[in-house]
């Protein structure tokens, strides 16, 4: 019995130890673990904070600077951005991204409204446009079929429209970058890797093809008297090509290399003519040269550099020459220089977007960007 009593006493002691002593220790460990967890856990964001989105700074919309003293007017009324325009005395031809083509009658650039006739390039986005001197013919290039579409003025019921009567055969492998409509032919320039220039009759027959062989084509420039054309390419020199006509009939004869406007270490950004006497080249390395091309190139006389400068990083998108000034489009601003490259004026925010093309006509400068207006 004594032994049995000792055993029962030991069992009671062990039961007390495990039930009453160990249980608080387990609870303490749990409490301690919770404290560690609360210390190491990242605080939860409040509901209000979690719903907040990072704020973005609103980019201010650039507006066309119509307050500048040189601004006169704009040809507007388009639903989509303008892709290209052409000007002849008294007329402006325009093509838009939605396929609309229009010819505006211009009596005075400061008129409030301009009369126009319009047509539609169906299921196409035009890349280039040109009009005839009489303002009764328009040619537009399609971006998908790489064809030239020929429009003429027609009277339909009680209104006049531009109606497509012909589309020329596809000769370009890339999009057509530029068009020129002369009295005796139509000239088309390929874009990018298509370095060919095609000459067409007004009925759509191929009259000549000339390969510039200068890597990639960019933009074509044609002199105002239709004597020369050149193309800005990825070579640092511009080939000037003469457009020859038959002396008796005035019909197109052939294309003939006339001269080179050389000297750039990189490709050309743009080229421009003022009739067949002056030219301007802008190289991607920033070099800009103003040329006298009224030389006896038939006797191998070289064009003469009248003046030059270096814009370094501000490489122009486009350029033009007037009687007294040289004009450049850089991003969305216009820079006006004297012919010895002294700065005359700068028009900031001339367009809402980058200026793509500029043309001098009489005492006016016409510019277009990827927006719905010709300034």
């Amino acid at each position: 019995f004594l032994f049995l009593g000792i055993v029962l006493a030991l069992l009671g002691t062990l039961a007390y130890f495990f039930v009453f002593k160990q249980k608080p220790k387990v609870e303490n460990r749990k409490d301690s673990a919770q404290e560690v967890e609360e210390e190491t856990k990242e605080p939860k964001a409040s509901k209000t904070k979690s719903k907040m989105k990072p704020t973005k700074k609103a980019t201010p919309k650039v507006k066309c600077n119509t307050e500048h003293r040189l601004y006169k007017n704009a040809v507007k009324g388009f639903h989509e951005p303008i892709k290209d325009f052409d000007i002849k005395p008294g007329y402006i031809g325009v093509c838009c991204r939605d396929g609309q083509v229009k010819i505006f009658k211009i009596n005075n650039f400061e008129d409030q409204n301009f009369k126009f006739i319009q047509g539609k390039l169906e299921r196409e986005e035009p890349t280039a446009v040109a009009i005839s001197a009489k303002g009764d013919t328009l040619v537009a290039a399609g971006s998908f079929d790489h064809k030239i579409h020929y429009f003429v003025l027609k009277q339909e019921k009680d209104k006049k429209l531009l109606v497509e009567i012909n589309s020329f055969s596809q000769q370009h492998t890339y999009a057509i970058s530029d068009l020129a409509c002369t009295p005796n032919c139509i000239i088309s320039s390929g874009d990018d890797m298509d370095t060919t220039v095609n000459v067409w009759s007004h009925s759509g027959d191929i009259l000549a093809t000339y390969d510039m062989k200068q890597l990639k084509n960019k933009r074509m420039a044609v002199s105002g008297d239709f004597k020369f054309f050149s193309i800005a390419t990825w070579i640092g020199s511009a080939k000037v090509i003469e457009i020859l006509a038959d002396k008796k009939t005035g019909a197109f004869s052939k294309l003939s290399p006339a001269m080179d406007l050389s000297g750039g270490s990189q490709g050309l950004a743009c080229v421009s003519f003022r009739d067949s006497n002056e030219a301007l080249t802008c190289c991607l390395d920033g070099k800009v040269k103003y040329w006298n091309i009224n030389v006896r190139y038939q006797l191998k006389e070289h064009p003469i550099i009248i003046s030059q400068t270096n814009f370094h990083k501000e490489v122009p998108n486009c350029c033009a020459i007037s009687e007294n000034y040289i004009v450049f489009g850089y991003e969305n601003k216009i820079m006006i220089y004297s012919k010895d490259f002294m700065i005359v004026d700068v028009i900031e925010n001339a367009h809402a977007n980058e200026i793509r093309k500029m043309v001098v006509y009489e005492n006016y400068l016409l510019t277009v960007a990827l927006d719905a207006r010709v300034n």
Side-chain angles (χ1 to χ4, degrees):
F1 290 102
L2 179 62
F3 176 76
L4 183 60
I6 293 171
V7 170
L8 290 173
L10 288 172
L11 289 173
T13 303
L14 289 172
Y16 174 83
F17 178 81
F18 282 103
V19 173
F20 295 102
K21 297 291 185 181
Q22 292 291 88
K23 187 174 181 180
K25 288 183 180 179
V26 172
E27 289 176 351
N28 289 340
R29 282 201 302 269
K30 183 178 179 182
D31 293 341
S32 175
Q34 286 177 340
E35 290 173 4
V36 172
E37 184 179 358
E38 288 174 358
E39 289 175 2
T40 57
K41 190 183 290 184
E42 292 181 4
K44 291 184 179 179
S46 67
K47 291 184 179 179
T48 305
K49 190 176 273 189
S50 65
K51 289 182 180 179
M52 290 177 63
K53 295 181 180 179
T55 57
K56 294 182 179 179
K57 290 184 179 180
T59 303
K61 187 177 180 181
V62 177
K63 292 183 179 180
C64 177
N65 183 6
T66 58
E67 301 300 320
H68 195 278
R69 62 183 180 82
L70 295 179
Y71 177 82
K72 295 299 180 184
N73 205 351
V75 180
K76 297 182 287 188
F78 307 100
H79 300 293
E80 291 285 338
I82 295 170
K83 296 301 293 288
D84 192 22
F85 79 100
D86 185 29
I87 185 164
K88 295 293 194 299
Y91 301 97
I92 294 178
V94 176
C95 66
C96 299
R97 192 165 61 186
D98 59 2
Q100 291 288 332
V101 292
K102 296 183 179 183
I103 297 179
F104 291 84
K105 176 61 178 168
I106 308 296
N107 295 314
N108 187 327
F109 275 110
E110 297 185 35
D111 288 343
Q112 292 299 313
N113 296 297
F114 304 104
K115 293 182 179 180
F116 65 88
I117 53 174
Q118 65 180 347
K120 176 77 172 179
L121 187 59
E122 299 292 345
R123 297 181 296 278
E124 270 287 358
E125 181 179 324
T127 58
V129 74
I131 59 173
S132 64
K134 294 181 180 180
D136 57 357
T137 301
L138 179 146
V139 287
S143 61
F144 304 122
D145 61 10
H146 305 161
K147 292 182 179 181
I148 296 173
H149 299 263
Y150 197 92
F151 291 80
V152 296
L153 175 62
K154 282 193 174 183
Q155 183 79 35
E156 290 195 357
K157 296 181 180 179
D158 58 343
K159 60 181 179 180
K160 294 179 180 179
L161 293 173
L162 284 171
V163 179
E164 183 179 346
I165 62 169
N166 193 12
S167 62
F168 300 175
S169 62
Q170 181 183 345
Q171 297 293 327
H172 288 282
T173 55
Y174 283 70
I176 296 170
S177 66
D178 290 279
L179 289 169
C181 185
T182 80
N184 56 16
C185 66
I186 295 166
I187 305 171
S188 61
S189 169
D191 191 22
D192 200 64
M193 298 298 291
D194 182 357
T195 59
T196 58
V197 175
N198 290 321
V199 182
W200 311 77
S201 70
H202 279 261
S203 59
D205 299 320
I206 280 282
L207 302 178
T209 297
Y210 191 93
D211 192 344
M212 301 300 288
K213 296 181 180 179
Q214 289 187 299
L215 297 179
K216 296 181 180 181
N217 274 9
K218 295 182 74 177
R219 299 304 303 265
M220 178 174 69
V222 182
S223 62
D225 54 4
F226 301 118
K227 183 176 181 179
F228 295 126
F229 76 82
S230 184
I231 297 177
T233 70
W234 287 99
I235 298 293
S237 63
K239 288 184 179 180
V240 178
I241 310 300
E242 185 177 11
I243 307 167
L244 294 170
D246 186 275
K247 292 183 179 179
K248 292 183 179 180
T249 64
F252 171 80
S253 175
K254 65 178 181 177
L255 299 178
S256 176
M259 64 191 88
D260 283 347
L261 307 178
S262 58
S265 61
Q266 299 180 25
L268 291 174
C270 51
V271 183
S272 184
F273 292 100
R274 182 173 181 265
D275 294 328
S276 55
N277 298 317
E278 304 165 51
L280 189 67
T281 57
C282 303
C283 190
L284 292 172
D285 61 8
K287 292 178 182 176
V288 178
K289 296 182 179 182
Y290 171 48
W291 303 81
N292 173 15
I293 58 173
N294 186 20
V295 296
R296 294 177 296 177
Y297 51 90
Q298 302 91 339
L299 301 178
K300 306 301 180 182
E301 276 190 10
H302 297 293
I304 301 165
I305 298 174
I306 301 172
S307 56
Q308 59 184 318
T309 190
N310 196 323
F311 284 155
H312 301 288
K313 294 182 179 180
E314 290 191 344
V315 179
N317 318 318
C318 51
C319 58
I321 313 170
S322 73
E323 183 179 359
N324 299 311
Y325 303 105
I326 295 174
V327 190
F328 302 97
Y330 173 68
E331 294 181 345
N332 69 336
K333 68 181 178 181
I334 296 171
M335 302 184 295
I336 304 171
Y337 286 79
S338 64
K339 289 192 172 180
D340 55 357
F341 292 108
M342 300 297 291
I343 189 70
V344 175
D345 206 342
V346 175
I347 306 173
E348 299 285 351
N349 300 326
H351 280 270
N353 300 293
E354 182 178 274
I355 299 170
R356 302 176 67 246
K357 185 176 181 178
M358 56 174 49
V359 176
V360 170
Y361 174 73
E362 295 180 349
N363 294 322
Y364 296 93
L365 174 71
L366 283 75
T367 60
V368 72
L370 201 61
D371 48 24
R373 59 192 295 146
V374 179
N375 287 348

